[in-house]
Amino acid sequence: MKLKWLVSLSVSTIILGGYSVASNAEIMRVNGPYQGLGLGSTEFDIYEGYSLQFTTIYTQVGYQFSPYFALEGRLGIGLNEEPTPLNGDVYTQEPLTGKITSEPVHTQVGSGLQLQTSIFLKANYPVSSRVGVFLFAGYARNKLSYNDDYSRFAKEVIGSNTNQFLITEENYDKDGKTFGAGVDYMLNQRWQASAEYQYFDAIEGNIYALNFSINYRF
């Protein structure tokens, strides 16, 4: 997949770049709280034959306990909309008898990444005073929401306006394990840039992300 190739290329480039531009001047890594802002690309392979790609923006806060361990939490959303399969049933109720009949609906609707959260433990290894590599593992949640008007699909399927309502598969909302790896570069004693690959254990399908962030250490 395109995202996997991009992940490998980006992380490799940053690692090599970090070795080549690392300054001889020592920079002391600051322990304590930090906060940052990140931009990412998340790919959802959760529907058979469909791959959804969302550009994400997120904020992150964390605490660096030592040069080797940190705890971090993130909260993010998607910035774009993607066409997504919608499979369900349109139910029609007769106004006089109350009888309910149904017709299946299989179509596409617009969806967005409404929420992406994660909290994890992070293991750091300083390669030099500026460059470090890290692994992380924890818990995450991804939530997609349909953005279209369901009543429009009910009218298309039934061809009438008589007390129609649509029951579909639920919006995608799954939580589970997450883990990943990346590299960071200390711009100075307070500012840090990072690039990483993140995998979400979705059970149904796969979710991958490539993230870039800037952190400020207090």
Side-chain angles (χ1 to χ4, degrees), residues 53-115:
Q53 191 95 30
F54 295 100
T55 299
T56 58
I57 187 170
Y58 60 91
T59 183
Q60 58 189 26
V61 293
Y63 192 91
Q64 191 77 40
F65 295 99
S66 76
Y68 304 103
F69 293 102
L71 176 67
E72 186 173 309
R74 296 178 182 174
L75 176 64
I77 59 172
L79 300 179
N80 61 302
E81 187 175 288
E82 284 278 285
T84 306
L86 175 65
N87 302 310
D89 296 282
V90 176
Y91 289 82
T92 301
Q93 185 174 27
E94 296 291 337
L96 297 180
T97 64
K99 180 181 178 181
I100 296 178
T101 58
S102 66
E103 292 286 343
V105 56
H106 303 284
T107 185
Q108 286 190 349
V109 295
S111 70
L113 180 55
Q114 183 177 348
L115 183 69

Side-chain angles (χ1 to χ4, degrees), residues 1 5 33 36 42 44 62 125 163-164 170 181 183 192 194 204 211:
M1 289 180 296
W5 287 104
T42 301
F44 286 73
Y125 181 77
N163 295 332
Q164 296 148 342
E170 294 181 358
V183 59
Q192 178 189 58
S194 299
E204 303 172 4
N211 301 317

